[in-house]
Amino acid sequence: MVFPAMRHSRFEHSLGTYYLFERIRDKVAESYLTEDQVKLLGELALYHDIGHLPFSHTFEFSMDILKYLDKDKYNEILKKFSGSQKLRAKLHEYIGIEILKKMGKAELANLMKIVYMGPSDAGQNKQENLQRIAQLILNSKDLDIDRLDYLQRDSYYSGAKYGYLPIDRLWDFEIHERNGNFAYLYKYKSLDDLEHYFLARFHMYHSIYNHCVVEIYNRIMAFLIAKMIADSLIPTSLIYDTDEVIYFTEDLILWKLKELHKGGNTEYEHFYKAIYERNRYGRAMLTGDEATTFKSYLDMDNGKRADEVYNELANLNGKAVIGVNEIEMKPSNIVLERKGVYINLEDINEFNVPSKRIKVCIGVRDKQTEEKVKKLFDGISLEFRNT
């Protein structure tokens, strides 16, 4: 919609992540691991996104909506993976673990579980170093090969310049153990390169991934998926049955939407017009204090008020969608060495990254829906474009 050249897939990203692993393979091999463990870590780099469902993270947004459209189906899906009504990791990570088990890769599945969910009943064992280093280079939440690939790849295909990184200089690190934890160890001269990376990541999220038109269409698609699950147009088994998930594609969802349109189904017509005919929703964007206030309306700690808002949005049947994104860079697991002294990156005063930023994007299908949303969030000034 906004960046039409961004047509690359998780397949290319997975290959790219594995390629970056090969770039640092020698550093990993020098750091407390056996050759078999290094090989296993490379496999995880290749398979780390194998559990993604159609439309990737957008599908995971749909689960937040399904909770209010059909609580029983929502709980059914969660219990299939976690045995409870709460997930310890993202949905695609649970699915990836089950797929790896199905492939006969039990050891790799166990490593993936610990890397993305943290230790549980698995306890501490002889692979503790492997687990911690895998978390560092694949799921550190700040600097890892997963993020380094998608930032560069998405920057290139979007045409934005933010993700053009000094990649060779970012490889100039050692894996460092201190107080039982692993971190990246850089020379102090790498400060500017690290600052460049965190600034690039911040702006890629704010301007590309969370662009308001992108965000609104993601939420429209998420609502469509949730409604199809609630209406039994998408069987829940397609999500959790590893024999069926391979047949669950984006084309299947889009085909079902087209068939609903051909059959004259009015409940799905606004989704069809938005996705197939590119009929834009009116949009409003909030930042700063207004965004913080708005976010508090949706905070589940707000109890009854939050439930009231989410239930009303569910009743609007996808004619109003909301995306709230909190962007904050918190560098951790990175240490700089200067004249024999080790300093955590977050403790260096001259290291500058933007402060936390909250961005709210609201989409409405028509003027009538716009008025309902304004009433729902009475007290917050909402100015919509293109309704």
Side-chain angles (χ1 to χ4, degrees):
M1 302 292 185
V2 184
F3 306 103
M6 292 182 71
R7 302 181 66 83
H8 48 294
S9 71
R10 292 275 164 190
F11 177 67
E12 290 101 326
H13 165 61
S14 296
L15 293 179
T17 303
Y18 180 75
Y19 167 76
L20 293 183
F21 169 78
E22 287 295 324
R23 290 281 302 271
I24 63 169
R25 185 187 186 99
D26 289 343
K27 295 179 184 292
V28 174
E30 293 167 0
S31 58
Y32 317 96
L33 300 185
T34 67
E35 182 56 37
D36 286 343
Q37 289 174 329
V38 172
K39 182 179 178 181
L40 193 67
L41 185 49
E43 282 192 85
L44 185 57
L46 182 62
Y47 286 119
H48 76 282
D49 271 349
I50 196 172
H52 268 287
L53 291 169
F55 300 103
S56 298
H57 294 295
T58 300
F59 194 101
E60 292 171 331
F61 297 155
S62 74
M63 297 303 295
D64 296 331
I65 301 165
L66 182 62
K67 180 165 48 177
Y68 290 91
L69 295 182
D70 192 322
K71 190 68 174 287
D72 289 339
K73 287 182 178 176
Y74 171 80
N75 287 336
E76 175 193 348
I77 293 167
L78 263 60
K79 286 179 180 178
K80 286 289 183 179
F81 291 110
S82 68
S84 68
Q85 296 180 11
K86 187 176 181 180
L87 297 179
R88 290 167 51 204
K90 294 176 181 176
L91 182 62
H92 75 270
E93 291 159 356
Y94 278 94
I95 295 171
I97 291 165
E98 295 305 314
I99 290 173
L100 290 174
K101 290 178 182 177
K102 186 75 174 180
M103 294 168 62
K105 295 181 177 291
E107 187 179 13
L108 186 59
N110 185 59
L111 178 60
M112 186 175 189
K113 179 178 179 180
I114 293 172
V115 167
Y116 290 100
M117 299 184 196
S120 57
D121 55 343
Q124 303 297 318
N125 56 43
K126 63 181 181 180
Q127 288 192 328
E128 183 178 357
N129 284 346
L130 170 61
Q131 295 157 7
R132 291 183 178 183
I133 292 172
Q135 284 174 326
L136 176 68
I137 71 167
L138 268 172
N139 191 38
S140 70
K141 307 300 184 186
D142 45 32
L143 175 61
D144 55 47
I145 57 176
D146 181 7
R147 287 161 178 78
L148 279 170
D149 178 80
Y150 73 65
L151 287 174
Q152 294 179 94
R153 190 175 303 279
D154 295 342
S155 179
Y156 176 82
Y157 284 106
S158 69
K161 307 299 182 186
Y162 303 119
Y164 288 8
L165 299 168
I167 195 70
D168 288 332
R169 292 176 65 86
L170 288 171
W171 290 147
D172 191 15
F173 68 84
E174 297 175 8
I175 293 179
H176 174 66
E177 183 182 20
R178 187 167 62 162
N179 301 324
N181 295 313
F182 289 102
Y184 300 106
L185 176 63
Y186 286 91
K187 297 293 184 181
Y188 200 86
K189 66 181 182 180
S190 298
L191 181 62
D192 288 342
D193 303 307
L194 291 166
E195 189 173 86
H196 182 169
Y197 165 78
F198 281 102
L199 284 168
R201 190 170 157 221
F202 184 93
H203 289 300
M204 281 293 289
Y205 271 90
H206 188 264
S207 299
I208 308 299
Y209 304 129
N210 302 145
H211 186 290
C212 260
V213 177
V214 173
E215 186 68 23
I216 287 168
Y217 270 101
N218 280 340
R219 300 294 170 167
I220 293 169
M221 180 59 74
F223 203 109
L224 169 65
I225 293 168
K227 182 171 174 58
M228 283 184 166
I229 296 171
D231 291 345
S232 300
L233 295 172
I234 295 175
T236 53
S237 60
L238 282 178
I239 300 169
Y240 55 72
D241 189 328
T242 53
D243 288 327
E244 294 188 37
V245 73
I246 191 172
Y247 303 108
F248 191 17
T249 65
E250 294 175 2
D251 287 340
L252 176 64
I253 294 171
L254 294 173
W255 175 80
K256 285 181 179 289
L257 179 58
K258 188 179 289 187
E259 290 299 301
L260 288 164
H261 168 71
K262 288 180 179 179
N265 188 309
T266 56
E267 285 191 15
Y268 285 85
E269 189 62 15
H270 55 290
F271 294 112
Y272 179 87
K273 288 185 178 297
I275 293 167
Y276 274 102
E277 298 182 1
R278 303 297 197 262
N279 285 3
R280 286 190 177 188
Y281 277 35
R283 65 186 186 275
M285 183 178 75
L286 298 175
T287 56
D289 292 340
E290 284 187 324
T292 302
T293 301
F294 190 96
K295 182 175 179 292
S296 70
Y297 277 59
L298 303 176
D299 192 336
M300 293 312 297
D301 291 336
N302 206 358
K304 184 178 179 181
R305 174 59 172 158
D307 277 336
E308 175 189 338
V309 169
Y310 281 113
N311 281 316
E312 179 60 28
L313 291 173
N315 290 335
L316 289 173
N317 192 33
K319 292 183 179 180
V321 294
I322 296 173
V324 179
N325 293 285
E326 188 172 314
I327 310 163
E328 185 175 18
M329 299 293 108
K330 288 185 175 181
S332 59
N333 303 313
I334 300 175
V335 177
L336 273 69
E337 184 271 329
R338 186 178 193 179
K339 297 180 179 179
V341 177
Y342 297 120
I343 313 167
N344 292 325
L345 180 60
E346 65 264 34
D347 296 331
I348 298 175
N349 292 331
E350 57 189 319
F351 175 71
N352 294 305
V353 293
S355 59
K356 180 170 67 175
R357 188 179 295 177
I358 298 175
K359 184 177 184 180
V360 176
C361 300
I362 309 165
V364 293
R365 178 71 181 87
D366 48 40
K367 280 289 185 182
Q368 184 180 6
T369 307
E370 177 184 332
E371 293 307 314
K372 290 180 180 179
V373 170
K374 285 182 175 178
K375 183 177 180 181
L376 184 61
F377 296 102
D378 186 34
I380 298 177
S381 177
L382 296 176
E383 296 183 9
F384 286 90
R385 298 170 53 191
N386 300 330
T387 47

